[in-house]
């Protein structure tokens, strides 16, 4: 009898994680486009017709339709399957390894990280609509449900995450005369600090930068950095950073928009120079790498802490 409920719990965690993953991918699509999360039911991103009810079943629907819209045949982006699988596995891992409240707090954090990463990847802009509320929510959850973090580390984490990156970005701006760290990254790091404390911030900064360098190098060597697309005008106010404190740091979109116009007109040598600049600054969105490191820490904090303390 003991075995049956355990398996039911595992399956429930997987299913819940997959559903939230599906929801997160949808939010990441709708938020920048200023589409309500509630009103239009799921629709195909290509033909915009509503999908049949069963196509909302995570993972299975993607596999059953072989990743294509049944109505227009357009490919469904693999992030639907990836997001559902990732959060399903995260939910199962957290359910098995943490007390329920602690697991839910960490799962909420990872969900917020996934949404901001997808938006940042698409638009080079971290949605403040996610990271702003994430700071107080993270603080409350860390204080009440995450004894490995607690309210003190969370509070220091908010200051360290927001402050450290803000100062780094400001110095970079002074030295290089261009924006190196968007304010979106600052708010993201403040949310990271709220959820996983200042130790998590240090881990995230170090490994996020490491992953980001590898990613930037890979793009520089094998790929062509693509400019960020223009954000729909209605969504701009909701998404963009409020009045910037750093002079000229009006958010990644201004720089990205400039990069687009330069890329289109600049011939050979200027283009190469721009490409080099782009590689140094915002050719690769930094947010997803930070989020990857932060999510890793949220999952494996006990192991990472004991490993670190044992040295
Ligand atoms: Zn379609």
């Amino acid at each position: 009898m003991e075995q049956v409920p355990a398996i039911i719990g595992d399956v429930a965690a997987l299913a819940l994680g997959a559903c939230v993953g599906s929801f997160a991918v949808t939010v990441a699509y709708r938020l920048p486009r200023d589409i309500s999360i509630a009103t239009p039911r799921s629709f195909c991103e290509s033909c915009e017709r509503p999908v049949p009810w069963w196509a909302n079943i995570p993972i299975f629907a993607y596999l059953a339709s072989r990743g294509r819209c049944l109505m227009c045949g357009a490919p469904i982006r693999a992030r639907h399957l990836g997001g559902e699988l990732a959060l399903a596995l995260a939910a199962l891992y957290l359910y098995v390894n943490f007390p329920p409240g602690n697991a839910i707090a960490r799962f909420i954090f990872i969900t917020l990280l996934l949404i901001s990463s997808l938006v940042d990847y698409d638009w080079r802009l971290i949605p403040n609509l996610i990271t702003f509320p994430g700071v107080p929510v993270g603080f409350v959850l860390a204080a009440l449900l995450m004894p490995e973090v607690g309210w003190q580390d969370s509070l220091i984490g908010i200051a360290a995450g927001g402050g450290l990156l803000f100062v780094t970005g400001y110095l970079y701006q002074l030295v290089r005369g261009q924006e190196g760290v968007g304010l979106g990254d600052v708010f993201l790091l403040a949310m990271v600090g709220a959820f996983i404390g200042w130790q998590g911030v240090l881990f995230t900064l170090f490994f996020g930068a490491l992953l980001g360098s590898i990613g930037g190098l890979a793009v520089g060597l094998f790929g062509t950095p693509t400019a960020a697309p223009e954000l729909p005008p209605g969504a701009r106010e909701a998404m963009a950073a409020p009045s910037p404190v750093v002079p000229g740091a009006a958010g990644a979109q201004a720089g990205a928009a400039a990069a687009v116009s330069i890329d289109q007109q600049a011939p050979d040598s200027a283009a190469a120079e721009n490409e080099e600049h782009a590689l140094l600054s915002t050719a690769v969105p930094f947010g997803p790498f930070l989020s990857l490191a932060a999510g890793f820490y949220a999952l494996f904090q006990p192991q990472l802490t004991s490993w670190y303390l044992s040295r």
Side-chain angles (χ1 to χ4, degrees), residues 7 47 115 151 153 159 161 167-168 203 221 293:
I7 288 169
C47 64
I115 297 173
W151 70 269
D153 284 357
V167 170
T168 311
F203 180 90
L221 290 177

Side-chain angles (χ1 to χ4, degrees), residues 46-72:
S46 291
C47 64
E48 299 192 342
R49 277 178 283 188
V51 301
W53 66 269
W54 63 266
N56 286 306
I57 304 170
I59 301 173
F60 295 104
Y62 186 94
L63 297 177
S65 62
R66 299 208 189 108
R68 292 193 168 271
C69 169
L70 291 176
M71 296 165 292
C72 70

Side-chain angles (χ1 to χ4, degrees), residues 18 21 59 67 103 111 121 124 127-128 132 148 159 192 230 232 244 296 307:
I59 301 173
T111 303
Y121 181 84
R124 304 286 162 80
N128 296 331
F132 272 12
E148 300 88 349
V192 167
E230 195 66 27
F296 186 84
W307 174 83

Side-chain angles (χ1 to χ4, degrees), residues 110-281:
I110 290 173
T111 303
L112 296 179
L113 290 175
L114 176 65
I115 297 173
S116 0
S117 297
L118 292 174
V119 173
D120 192 17
Y121 181 84
D122 287 343
W123 306 95
R124 304 286 162 80
L125 202 64
I126 298 176
N128 296 331
L129 235 51
I130 300 291
T131 51
F132 272 12
V135 173
V137 167
F139 176 72
V140 170
L141 291 179
L144 297 179
L145 296 172
M146 299 162 71
E148 300 88 349
V149 182
W151 70 269
Q152 293 100 329
D153 284 357
S154 171
L155 211 57
I156 302 170
I158 296 169
L164 205 65
L165 208 58
F166 179 81
V167 170
T168 311
Y170 189 74
L171 291 178
Y172 188 91
Q173 178 121 18
L174 281 183
V175 172
R176 294 198 55 101
Q178 68 176 65
E179 189 183 346
V181 178
L183 277 185
D185 293 315
V186 174
F187 299 131
L188 175 69
L189 250 261
M191 178 180 86
V192 167
F195 271 97
I196 55 176
W198 61 269
Q199 300 91 334
V201 167
L202 291 184
F203 180 90
T204 299
L205 265 181
F206 183 76
F207 283 97
L210 194 69
L211 290 170
S213 310
I214 296 169
L217 208 63
V219 169
L221 290 177
F222 307 112
T224 44
T226 52
E230 195 66 27
L231 204 65
R236 202 161 260 226
E237 297 83 50
M239 294 272 301
S243 186
V245 194
V246 178
Q253 69 199 41
V260 173
S261 58
I262 291 167
D263 277 356
Q264 281 162 352
Q265 49 180 251
D268 319 323
S269 63
E273 197 185 315
N274 284 322
E275 206 164 291
E276 190 197 344
H277 269 282
L279 199 64
L280 285 170
S281 52

